[in-house]
Amino acid sequence: MFYYDPTYLLILPAVLLAIFAQIRIQKTYSKYSKIKALRGYTGAQLARYILDDRRMTNVKIEPISGRLSDHYNQRTKTLKLSQDIYDGNSVAALGIAAHEAGHAIQDANSYVPLKIRNTIVPVASLGSWMAFPLFFFGFISEIPQLMDLGILFFTLAVTFSLVTLPVEYNASHRAINILQNGRFLSDKEIPMAKKVLSAAALTYLATSAMAILNLLRLVLLRGRRG
Ligand SMILES: [Zn+2]
């Protein structure tokens, strides 16, 4: 009954958006990771330069395995750059390295959305873990309080994915400004880096859309059970 229910159709647009976003980031990244930047920095060198320029010498930069696995670890103050970004010098590599440096700068500047996101991380991950089992159990055993609790927990997960958006967009915005002002990329290369970063941002947007529509779906199912 849960599996053959028409509210599944509700999340279809988000599923399609997520697939589209995945294809687009893979294609865009493949394209611009083959275009070498005119200035010969590697991603790691660029990130080091950006951080040292802001006296952020305490932030470490380390390679990590995987493709597009790049991230900033706030706890250990480490930029983790995938091998192609770490020692690559493509337009895509420099764009992504600058984006990750952007996260480290957010951390150093106590950027508010990042702080909010960190505050809700523990409850949000518990929330996304517990929401569906709680709701599902409440649904089949017709206990509305459990369904409400499931919805509440899922709302935390939705909030987390929404707060992630400004954090990601802001890191990309900082990255483009740095690349432009520091002349790390030429005027011709800047739009290419922008394309890579906005393709990456679309994947976060798709995740949020999925979360919101799933929440809507739970609310509708809850309404049906009264
Ligand atoms: Zn990011």
Side-chain angles (χ1 to χ4, degrees), residues 31-207:
K31 181 173 175 186
Y32 295 110
S33 61
K34 291 187 191 88
I35 299 179
K36 291 216 175 302
L38 286 176
R39 293 186 67 171
Y41 289 105
T42 65
Q45 285 169 340
L46 171 70
R48 187 72 272 160
Y49 189 93
I50 293 171
L51 297 174
D52 289 353
D53 197 39
R54 287 161 182 75
R55 300 177 196 278
M56 292 166 61
T57 46
N58 61 319
V59 178
K60 296 182 286 273
I61 301 169
E62 290 171 2
I64 184 175
S65 60
R67 182 178 150 106
L68 290 173
S69 50
D70 311 76
H71 64 276
Y72 169 63
N73 185 323
Q74 207 173 344
R75 199 175 44 80
T76 60
K77 310 283 177 213
T78 311
L79 285 195
K80 295 278 192 182
L81 300 178
S82 61
Q83 209 69 54
D84 291 346
I85 307 296
Y86 189 88
D87 40 43
N89 90 310
S90 67
V91 175
L94 298 192
I96 292 171
H99 170 96
E100 299 309 334
H103 283 309
I105 297 168
Q106 289 174 334
D107 184 18
N109 293 355
S110 300
Y111 177 62
V112 173
L114 185 69
K115 288 184 98 172
I116 297 174
R117 197 178 71 156
N118 292 338
T119 313
I120 60 175
V121 163
V123 279
S125 51
L126 178 76
S128 60
W129 225 82
M130 294 293 293
F132 277 91
L134 275 176
F135 185 89
F136 185 68
F137 189 72
F139 190 85
I140 49 173
S141 48
E142 300 191 37
I143 307 172
Q145 290 84 354
L146 275 185
M147 286 191 270
D148 289 342
L149 200 59
I151 288 174
L152 180 72
F153 274 34
F154 198 70
T155 306
L156 294 170
V158 171
T159 310
F160 174 79
S161 85
L162 286 178
V163 181
T164 299
L165 294 179
V167 174
E168 292 304 327
Y169 279 92
N170 175 269
S172 290
H173 185 70
R174 286 174 197 263
I176 295 298
N177 275 345
I178 291 167
L179 292 169
Q180 214 157 17
N181 297 337
R183 305 225 135 261
F184 298 110
L185 290 181
S186 71
D187 290 346
K188 253 181 87 178
E189 292 164 335
I190 288 287
M192 302 180 193
K194 268 187 189 165
K195 277 186 188 165
V196 175
L197 295 180
S198 44
L202 191 65
T203 63
Y204 289 101
L205 199 65
T207 307

